[in-house]
């Protein structure tokens, strides 16, 4: 397959049926919240009239607003109020910008409507929320359920890349979070989703510099990809290794250092369990309907193929940790285990690297610097080289 063909395959994998890139012709110039008695009003200022797709999700309660062909242009941050506790936003797919409202209580949409530009106001889209019973809320969830976008596994036209056609191993690097899921916010104001993308790009460059690998990113822009779609991309690309990149945060600002995680149903300690629970919520933050996710991976850990993959993942982690220590600060227990959704590929060795803590001054300085990002990339490249040297020696 040509390089152009590989790029086309990856684009299809990332976008599913939305492989064509639409013009982003609507600017979202601001949002605001207001209260009128028992009603909470959400107003979105837009450059052009819009017809958003709106639906509600339970567990936890959320209202999701998808605006086609749009970009966020607001320079101000609005404060949520009334029935809305928090909100977040970001690019959810190539042609959809998503706003997610976290609801404090059960609620229903009383009405939604457009207002034309007039008297100094731009075009607006308005949603009025009213408090409701839980049963009415669940009925609204059911009636507003969106059409399910095809996952990577359901795209019949995409075939796995042929492995080793040029003798190179295939590595997929996953920049954690993205789009409406910002991840953690650090001391220097950088969201985790931005740092993970910068570090992942450095890792890709460093690995490609060796001439030994073909390297792909699950995302190369600020867009969200659901957990299962991330490791399904690695599977479809015929990956020999999957590396997910993250940045952690914790209340104690003195805690610092990186950690390499591999999959296990039983966490190695409370901190590993805490982190896995936090990272596994990414789909919720991005407004993914978890009721429609594929539960095929729920029993994967009892499969022999998965156990072999887990062993290879742990082997890579044990090789990677010493290389990381040579470049950056690491936890004393550099390799830990937890039940991360993103690591549940049945046949691709996978690790999740928490590169440091944004809440620690020294770590945050390193993570936000080009030098620190390059040192992480060099460590990963050295670890990957040693891992595959061992695989060759074992005849794999």
């Amino acid at each position: 397959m040509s390089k152009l063909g590989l790029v086309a395959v990856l684009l299809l994998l990332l976008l599913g049926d939305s492989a064509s890139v639409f013009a982003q012709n609507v600017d979202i110039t601001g949002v605001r919240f207001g209260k009128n008695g028992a009603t909470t009003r959400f107003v979105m200022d837009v450059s052009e009239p819009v017809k958003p797709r709106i639906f509600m999700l339970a567990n936890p309660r959320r209202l999701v607003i998808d605006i086609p062909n749009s970009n966020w242009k607001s320079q101000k941050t609005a404060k949520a109020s009334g029935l809305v506790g928090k909100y977040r936003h970001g690019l959810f797919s190539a042609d959809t910008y998503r706003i997610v409202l976290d609801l404090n209580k059960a609620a229903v949409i009383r009405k939604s409507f457009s207002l034309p530009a007039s008297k100094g106001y731009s075009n607006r889209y308005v949603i009025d929320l009213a408090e409701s019973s839980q049963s009415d809320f669940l009925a609204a969830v059911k009636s507003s359920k969106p059409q399910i976008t095809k996952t990577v596994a359901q795209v019949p036209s995409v075939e796995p890349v042929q492995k080793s056609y040029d003798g190179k191993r295939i590595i997929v690097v996953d920049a954690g979070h993205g789009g409406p899921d910002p991840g953690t916010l650090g001391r220097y104001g950088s969201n985790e989703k931005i740092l993970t993308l910068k570090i992942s790009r450095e890792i890709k460059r460093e690995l490609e510099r060796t001439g030994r690998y073909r390297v792909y990113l699950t995302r190369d822009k600020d867009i969200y990809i659901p957990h299962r779609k991330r490791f399904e991309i690695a599977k479809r690309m015929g990956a020999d290794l999957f590396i997910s990149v993250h940045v952690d945060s914790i209340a104690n600002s003195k805690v610092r250092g990186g950690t390499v995680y591999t999959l296990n149903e039983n966490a190695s300690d409370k901190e590993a369990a805490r982190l896995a629970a936090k990272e596994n919520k990414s789909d919720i933050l991005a407004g993914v309907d978890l009721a429609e996710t594929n539960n095929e991976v729920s029993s994967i850990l009892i499969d022999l193929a998965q156990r072999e993959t887990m062993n290879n993942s742990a082997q890579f982690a044990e090789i990677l940790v010493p290389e990381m220590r040579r470049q950056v600060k690491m936890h004393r227990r550099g390799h830990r285990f937890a039940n991360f959704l993103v690591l549940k590929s049945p046949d691709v060795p996978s690790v999740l690297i928490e590169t440091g803590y944004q809440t620690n001054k020294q770590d945050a300085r390193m993570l936000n610097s080009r030098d620190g990002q390059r040192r992480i990339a060099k460590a990963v490249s050295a670890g990957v080289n040693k891992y595959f040297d061992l695989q060759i020696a074992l005849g794999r």
Side-chain angles (χ1 to χ4, degrees), residues 234-280:
K235 179 178 176 62
R236 285 287 176 151
M237 296 307 291
D240 296 285
L241 198 59
F242 175 83
I243 301 169
S244 190
V245 179
H246 291 257
V247 175
D248 203 359
S249 66
I250 198 168
N252 185 352
S253 62
K254 294 181 180 179
V255 176
R256 62 175 303 205
T259 308
V260 179
Y261 288 87
T262 53
L263 179 67
N264 197 302
E265 283 186 313
N266 300 311
S268 54
D269 51 62
K270 290 182 179 180
E271 172 63 13
R274 176 201 68 83
L275 180 64
K278 177 170 74 77
E279 295 293 354
N280 290 348

Side-chain angles (χ1 to χ4, degrees), residues 179-199:
D181 171 26
T184 62
L185 180 64
R187 295 175 65 100
Y188 295 100
S190 297
N191 282 326
E192 180 180 5
K193 67 177 182 178
I194 302 302
L195 287 180
T196 59
L197 184 54
K198 288 181 178 180
I199 295 169

